[in-house]
Amino acid sequence: MGERRIFLVGAMKAGTTTLHDYLVQHPNIFQQSIKEPQYVSWVTRNEKYFNYDEGDFKKKAISVIPVRDDTGYEVLYSQAQSGQYLIDSSVFNLPHPPAADYIKEKFPDAIILILVRDMTKRAFSSYSFQKSKGAEWAKTFEKAIEEELDGLRDGYIYPWRNLFCSKYSQQIPRYM
């Protein structure tokens, strides 16, 4: 793996795709084939965060994790030229508590970029996006929030945790 890393860690539905697309236009930033490999959140998963043992939910959730091991992650960057920055724009890294420590340990010189959005608008946008993809089962945003407040979404991966992913005051300090 290359030495120069950029992690665009989030937040989802805050304009990260646009920022990523602008950044990779620079010749010193390597554009690998998968914008959001979600590698870090996968290799640091546990039962509290990323519970994949819930039947049909597992089938939907697992499809958003395209890279699940070191080899797959290294292959993404194997065509980079010497001196190029290697970018990982996985937005699950911001809400995922173990991610910051893992990045610091494995890539201590990485540049961390955090892009946020009004918390309520971000949460609603995330809900609406999942709904448009047929991946949100709650009939209304209010119902989705109620489920989350009642603990029914604890352990689910982040696109289905609208409030949790908007808790920037807990997430950003981990990267400081």
Side-chain angles (χ1 to χ4, degrees), residues 51-69:
N51 181 354
Y52 284 97
D53 298 322
E54 300 192 23
D56 289 339
F57 179 76
K58 179 178 180 181
K59 294 174 194 168
K60 291 178 184 176
I62 201 74
S63 67
V64 300
I65 310 293
V67 178
R68 300 183 187 123
D69 58 36

Side-chain angles (χ1 to χ4, degrees), residues 18 30 35 41 50 60 64 86 111 114-115 128 134 144 160:
T18 300
F30 177 69
K35 175 192 164 252
S41 53
F50 279 45
K60 291 178 184 176
V64 300
L86 310 180
I111 295 169
I114 300 173
L115 190 60
S128 298
W160 292 277

Side-chain angles (χ1 to χ4, degrees), residues 1 9 36 43 48 58 70 74 78-79 81 90 95 101 137 139 156 162 168:
M1 290 193 209
V9 298
E36 297 188 56
V43 298
K48 186 173 181 183
K58 179 178 180 181
D70 291 345
E74 290 176 20
S78 62
Q79 300 300 312
Q81 296 175 7
S90 298
D101 285 340
W137 54 90
K139 295 206 182 296
Y156 283 8
N162 301 300
Y168 308 138

Side-chain angles (χ1 to χ4, degrees), residues 10-17 115-117 122 168:
M12 68 184 89
K13 307 316 293 173
T16 54
T17 297
L115 190 60
V116 296
R117 177 181 182 185
R122 192 224 61 80
Y168 308 138

